[in-house]
Amino acid sequence: MIIKNIESKIRLASWVAISSMIVCIIISLGVSILAYKQILQARKSVYILDQNSTPYQANQLDLSVNRPLEYRTHVNLFHMLFFTLAPDEKFIEYQMKKAMYLIDETGALQYNNLREKGFFNSILSSSAVLTIQTDSIYVDPEKKYFRYYGKQTIDRRSSTVIRTIITEGYLHDLKLRTENNGHGVLITKWKTIENKDISNVQKNNI
């Protein structure tokens, strides 16, 4: 009888020890996970001291949260550079040079095609001023796809032409951001879907 009591106490002590160990492991894991999350959260915050040595917290946003907006801004900037032109050869070269930092070889290909067709010479000879207005930009962040909708105004001495501009392409994230490409994005597979006149108003030149 004494031996059975001893065995029962040993089994009870063993279960208590095992249970205590399991509880300790669970608590340790929980504390470790909580501490890891707090460290990650702390890394997203920096503190800035003003002149009175008072700390102000500045939070760092997750890159993925703001990326779709950066995509649209990048696409808009490229189209503003590529489609805003003036009868000034140096200005045209400047615009194209800045635009080419934002796109792959498909942009250079379209630029060379326009140059070979005499498009830029016609701007110089007719003293045309080209501006573009963005209507909307659709971006699919998952597929890295975009479609741009805008209207381009071509103001010549003899007429004012308005045409629709619809283009599409894909977006490639770069590892580095530079002064010439602040969003760290490269437009790829860019092509024009629509480019047609919707208005042509003749001017009365006296």
Side-chain angles (χ1 to χ4, degrees), residues 1-90:
M1 188 69 179
I2 296 176
I3 295 175
K4 289 184 178 180
N5 289 335
I6 293 173
E7 290 178 351
S8 298
K9 290 180 180 180
I10 292 173
R11 283 197 296 269
L12 179 61
S14 299
W15 280 111
V16 170
I18 293 172
S19 300
S20 299
M21 185 176 64
I22 293 174
V23 171
C24 289
I25 292 173
I26 293 174
I27 293 175
S28 298
L29 288 175
V31 171
S32 299
I33 293 173
L34 181 61
Y36 179 72
K37 289 183 177 179
Q38 289 180 341
I39 291 173
L40 289 180
Q41 187 65 31
R43 287 178 178 175
K44 293 182 180 179
S45 300
V46 294
Y47 290 89
I48 303 172
L49 296 178
D50 64 2
Q51 295 179 351
N52 298 321
S53 298
T54 303
Y56 291 92
Q57 184 177 3
N59 293 322
Q60 178 184 4
L61 294 176
D62 186 359
L63 179 62
S64 61
V65 174
N66 203 40
R67 204 54 171 160
L69 176 60
E70 288 190 319
Y71 286 155
R72 284 191 290 272
T73 303
H74 184 89
V75 171
N76 185 66
L77 176 60
F78 168 76
H79 285 80
M80 288 294 176
L81 290 170
F82 196 89
F83 291 103
T84 300
L85 303 170
D88 184 321
E89 189 173 357
K90 290 185 178 180

Side-chain angles (χ1 to χ4, degrees), residues 143-180:
K143 296 181 179 179
K144 303 289 182 67
Y145 169 83
F146 77 87
R147 179 167 286 196
Y148 175 91
Y149 300 87
K151 291 185 182 68
Q152 186 180 45
T153 300
I154 304 175
D155 192 8
R156 301 187 180 96
R157 289 190 296 264
S158 59
S159 64
T160 299
V161 177
I162 299 177
R163 61 177 53 169
T164 58
I165 301 287
I166 301 177
T167 70
E168 68 175 6
Y170 290 85
L171 302 162
H172 174 69
D173 291 323
L174 301 176
K175 293 182 179 180
L176 295 176
R177 297 175 185 236
T178 65
E179 184 177 349
N180 294 311

Side-chain angles (χ1 to χ4, degrees), residues 94-108:
Y94 173 82
Q95 290 289 91
M96 292 300 111
K97 182 179 179 180
K98 297 290 288 185
M100 292 306 110
Y101 285 113
L102 310 179
I103 194 170
D104 67 354
E105 65 276 3
T106 54

